[in-house]
Amino acid sequence: MVFPLFFLILQSNMQLPEVFVRETKQLMGEERFRRFMEAFNEDAPVSIRVNKRKVESGKWKENTYINKVPWCEEGIYLEGRPQFTFDPLFHAGYYYVQEAASMFVTHVLRSLFTIHCSLFTVLDLCAAPGGKSTAVRTVLPEGSTLVSNEPIPTRAQILLENITKWGWPDCIVTNNYPRDFRKAKAKFDIILCDVPCSGEGMFRKDPATISEWSPQNVEKCWRLQREIVADAWECLNPGGLLIYSTCTYNIKENEENIRWILDTYEAEALDIPVDPSWNITGSLLPGFDAPVYRFIPGITCSEGLFLCALHKRGKWKEESGKRLPKREQSLQKNRLPSPLKELSAAEQFSFLFPLSSFHIDLSYPEALKYLRGEALALPPDTPKGIVTVTYKGVPLGPVKNIGNRANNLYPKPWRIKTTHLPTEEIKIIDIQ
């Protein structure tokens, strides 16, 4: 018997594809599937990850969050979904709005490596919009290099914006296909393959993805995923780590692909310590018990995610704390081998525009006006030239004071487009 609610997503008034219902119920089993489907009648959890480089501990405004995300020390569940667009601190990179399951990558890296005494070159191969990249950079030790790549140019620009606003050093944003890294013979210690997938884990968060799902798309995705992994594996140093993840549930794109990797390459699936209270599900493929980690709505406090950490057999590059081999020094200097297309080296938040030592602090309405790209009226004693505008002391960006007016230099693609502004100040972080 299939309960009526199994077919109806209340938020969208759309039906789940019958083949998806049938196959997913068989995969998960009656009880797990019932809890999964009941989650569609609930609001999706809202979570953010604080930028610990910018925000001191204890600076969170009371009554804005419910609990910490248990597998990420920087993660917070909020009580609801505020209008992030109208929080100037969101635009300043003080936090990143990220689904909680995706934060699990920080726990993976913290569990597997003593990363504070070694340097790493890391590639996030399918990185847009930047959630996992900013999470990974937070965990890596100073001096490591992160290359965040996105093949689609429009998405690569969004990735560039988010990486730049995050404001951590030694980050490179690129716009290449996975095969380009293999052809360039680039090498990395850690590679994230958050591969394009059929998006089943997005059904509750974004019901529009339901209409895009089909068995044919699943078939297309798992083949593409193997092509991406094949390119990535060639770029992984011996002893390195490949993190494979999807936001889908079916075993073709998940367990069967992991089994293929284990059978095809000198690979080992690594155990990640998890707390039973997190309710993370393991392998659902009969006879396959490799350590994999599946987040299922209604069971974990998250949306859907599948992840497996894979070790490439071989000798690790160096003992912890020693000098990097010469073959890796180019990446440590933020230079990629030709012909890879590099968009930026986002050293600081100010990479794309100059900031000055002279600051003008804006009120909340003025900050929104600046973020919309409007001109500002500056105090009469403001010096001419580039001036930094701030909100609560936090740099937002530059203006050019020419005397009778100040030209707004905030990048046009980043500007707030809506004209409907809130009547009250949006506060997610209290930094006073």
Side-chain angles (χ1 to χ4, degrees):
M1 176 179 179
V2 179
F3 294 95
L5 66 85
F6 288 180
F7 292 96
L8 190 62
I9 297 182
L10 299 181
Q11 295 116 315
S12 63
N13 198 30
M14 293 181 64
Q15 288 187 336
L16 291 174
E18 291 187 11
V19 63
F20 170 80
V21 172
R22 182 176 63 252
E23 292 180 356
T24 307
K25 182 181 180 183
Q26 182 179 7
L27 176 68
M28 293 185 179
E30 289 279 356
E31 176 59 20
R32 187 180 286 122
F33 185 66
R34 179 189 64 79
R35 295 174 62 184
F36 165 65
M37 292 306 302
E38 287 179 346
F40 283 98
N41 296 327
E42 304 169 356
D43 292 332
V46 179
S47 50
I48 61 176
R49 182 170 37 76
V50 66
N51 189 339
K52 68 179 186 179
R53 190 180 183 88
K54 297 184 176 183
V55 181
E56 298 177 10
S57 61
K59 294 294 186 179
W60 291 97
K61 178 178 172 58
E62 294 180 0
N63 301 321
T64 58
Y65 62 89
I66 306 172
N67 290 303
K68 298 274 289 183
V69 175
W71 47 81
C72 178
E73 63 185 53
E74 299 87 10
I76 300 288
Y77 290 108
L78 300 184
E79 290 182 334
R81 179 169 286 276
Q83 294 177 299
F84 295 110
T85 298
F86 301 120
D87 182 6
L89 297 180
F90 166 69
H91 295 274
Y94 263 55
Y95 59 89
Y96 192 99
V97 183
Q98 185 177 28
E99 202 285 307
S102 295
M103 302 180 193
F104 186 63
V105 67
T106 63
H107 176 74
V108 172
L109 292 179
R110 285 177 168 134
S111 300
L112 293 179
F113 295 109
T114 310
I115 58 175
H116 37 271
C117 60
S118 185
L119 301 179
F120 296 87
T121 54
V122 182
L123 171 64
D124 188 351
L125 200 51
C126 310
K132 289 186 177 65
S133 278
T134 54
V136 167
R137 188 61 195 90
T138 301
V139 174
L140 295 176
E142 294 294 333
S144 296
T145 295
L146 171 65
V147 178
S148 299
N149 178 70
E150 173 54 46
I152 302 173
T154 54
R155 287 172 56 83
Q157 290 301 319
I158 297 172
L159 173 65
L160 174 61
E161 175 184 350
N162 289 329
I163 292 293
T164 303
K165 287 180 175 179
W166 198 243
W168 287 59
D170 303 308
C171 295
I172 303 171
V173 178
T174 59
N175 175 212
N176 299 280
Y177 287 99
R179 62 177 177 269
D180 295 329
F181 288 90
R182 174 176 53 81
K183 291 178 180 178
K185 298 182 179 180
K187 293 294 183 180
F188 301 88
D189 306 314
I190 303 170
I191 299 180
L192 276 72
C193 287
D194 188 35
V195 290
C197 68
S198 59
E200 297 165 357
M202 298 291 290
F203 283 179
R204 180 171 68 156
K205 184 178 179 181
D206 183 9
T209 58
I210 299 170
S211 61
E212 301 171 0
W213 185 92
S214 69
Q216 293 76 21
N217 193 32
V218 172
E219 290 293 320
K220 178 182 177 181
C221 285
W222 74 259
R223 297 177 189 277
L224 174 62
Q225 290 154 2
R226 293 190 181 187
E227 292 177 8
I228 292 173
V229 168
D231 288 327
W233 199 259
E234 290 297 315
C235 297
L236 189 63
N237 282 326
L241 173 70
L242 185 142
I243 299 176
Y244 177 94
S245 64
T246 73
C247 59
T248 198
Y249 305 112
N250 67 78
I251 58 175
K252 284 188 175 181
E253 298 178 72
N254 294 325
E255 283 92 342
E256 290 187 5
N257 272 351
I258 298 303
R259 183 168 61 183
W260 170 79
I261 295 172
L262 296 175
D263 291 344
T264 305
Y265 301 105
E266 291 292 315
E268 173 190 8
L270 301 178
D271 267 312
I272 309 298
V274 296
D275 192 301
S277 67
W278 300 351
N279 296 321
I280 298 174
T281 303
S283 174
L284 295 180
L285 177 61
F288 183 76
D289 59 358
V292 299
Y293 304 89
R294 182 185 271 98
F295 293 71
I296 302 175
I299 297 173
T300 55
C301 188
S302 69
E303 296 307 297
L305 177 83
F306 174 93
L307 183 144
C308 183
L310 296 145
H311 170 250
K312 184 174 186 178
R313 292 193 177 94
K315 186 178 180 181
W316 182 246
K317 60 181 175 64
E318 285 285 309
E319 296 290 335
S320 294
K322 289 187 178 180
R323 183 178 298 275
L324 291 168
K326 289 184 179 180
R327 61 181 170 80
E328 296 174 13
Q329 290 180 359
S330 63
L331 276 179
Q332 290 300 320
K333 294 177 182 179
N334 280 355
R335 295 188 317 197
L336 284 169
S338 179
L340 294 175
K341 183 179 179 182
E342 181 178 329
L343 298 182
S344 79
E347 287 293 331
Q348 302 292 340
F349 175 71
S350 59
F351 176 77
L352 292 186
F353 44 76
L355 296 179
S356 73
S357 59
F358 192 91
H359 292 185
I360 299 293
D361 205 52
L362 305 179
S363 66
Y364 180 69
E366 289 172 333
L368 293 185
K369 187 176 181 180
Y370 173 75
L371 293 169
R372 289 175 61 186
E374 299 179 23
L376 298 175
L378 301 181
D381 60 345
T382 304
K384 291 185 179 181
I386 300 298
V387 175
T388 300
V389 296
T390 63
Y391 171 69
K392 295 185 177 180
V394 178
L396 294 179
V399 297
K400 185 175 183 179
N401 184 27
I402 59 176
N404 59 338
R405 71 177 187 274
N407 293 335
N408 193 321
L409 301 181
Y410 195 68
K412 290 183 179 180
W414 299 6
R415 295 176 181 178
I416 298 174
K417 304 300 191 295
T418 181
T419 58
H420 301 288
L421 299 180
T423 57
E424 297 183 0
E425 183 176 359
I426 301 296
K427 291 184 179 181
I428 310 301
I429 301 176
D430 184 1
I431 63 170
Q432 293 181 345

